[in-house]
Amino acid sequence: EIVLTQSPTTMAASPGEKITITCSASSSISSNYLHWYQQKPGFSPKLLIYRTSNLASGVPARFSGSGSGTSYSLTIGTMEAEDVATYYCQQGSSIPRTFGGGTKLEIK
Amino acid sequence: QVQLKQSGPGLVQPSQSLSITCTVSGFSLTSYGVHWVRQSPGKGLEWLGVIWSGGSTDYNAAFISRLSISKDNSKSQVFFKMNSLQANDTAIYYCARNTMMNYFDYWGQGTTLTVSS
């Protein structure tokens, strides 16, 4: 099983601040199979970034993703209030599919 | 448009089973797999299993003895059943559509399950 470890687990950012969340995999993953989701309280998870760096439909350009091998990251270029959510990475490389533990992002 | 709509009970007694139906629209189950994911209160996302477009299944080893996923392509329905429920199975259960690169592009609204006597 591929274990995904996200950091930090929680963080608070000011509006306009740049945010980076990391996702570390226990085994190397093709960048084609690392994806990110955004979940706001009371809602289902929403696809944010697929295949490491591709924005899902309707996702603002301030979001970006990068990485390879065992190290991946999600960046928000300028924090906005609407970005308050929990973010999860997910690997689609092998069964069982696994998610990172989540990063809860709050606003200062 | 693509939709996944879930139906199922909200409250189940310990040792009983859970059945959820995920009814899809906007795509065919013969072309896409459907996964099941749960989220325990205040916790992260846990993958449970998948039924592939061809009808084969894969399960999380932790649940393989008490989990079953099946489907009816003609009715666009996927069926989730988990047996021998305990309090720690209290969670929100989601169905989600699989894509070629194995991400979940559409999710159901979630079924909130409470296991309690």
Side-chain angles (χ1 to χ4, degrees), chain B residues 38-41 86-93 113-116:
Chain B
R38 77 178 186 180
Q39 186 168 35
S40 301
Q86 300 301 322
N88 59 8
D89 292 314
T90 293
I92 302 174
Y93 289 75
L113 171 73
T114 301
V115 181
S116 176

Side-chain angles (χ1 to χ4, degrees), chain B residues 26-80:
Chain B
F27 69 97
S28 172
L29 293 175
T30 60
S31 298
Y32 291 85
V34 172
H35 294 256
W36 291 87
V37 175
R38 77 178 186 180
Q39 186 168 35
S40 301
K43 302 292 186 181
L45 302 170
E46 182 175 32
W47 181 80
L48 299 174
V50 58
I51 187 162
W52 300 106
S53 57
S56 62
T57 53
D58 282 304
Y59 298 113
N60 184 320
F63 301 95
I64 195 168
S65 64
R66 61 190 187 105
L67 179 58
S68 173
I69 303 173
S70 60
K71 65 175 179 171
D72 185 331
N73 291 331
S74 66
K75 295 183 178 179
S76 295
Q77 292 180 321
V78 178
F79 309 107
F80 175 93

Side-chain angles (χ1 to χ4, degrees), chain B residues 104-116:
Chain B
F104 312 132
D105 59 348
Y106 291 92
W107 295 66
Q109 82 277 20
T111 296
T112 301
L113 171 73
T114 301
V115 181
S116 176

Side-chain angles (χ1 to χ4, degrees), chain A residues 26-39:
Chain A
S26 60
S27 303
S28 183
I29 301 170
S30 164
S31 60
N32 284 324
Y33 296 113
L34 192 287
H35 319 295
W36 292 91
Y37 301 85
Q38 178 191 64
Q39 186 179 32

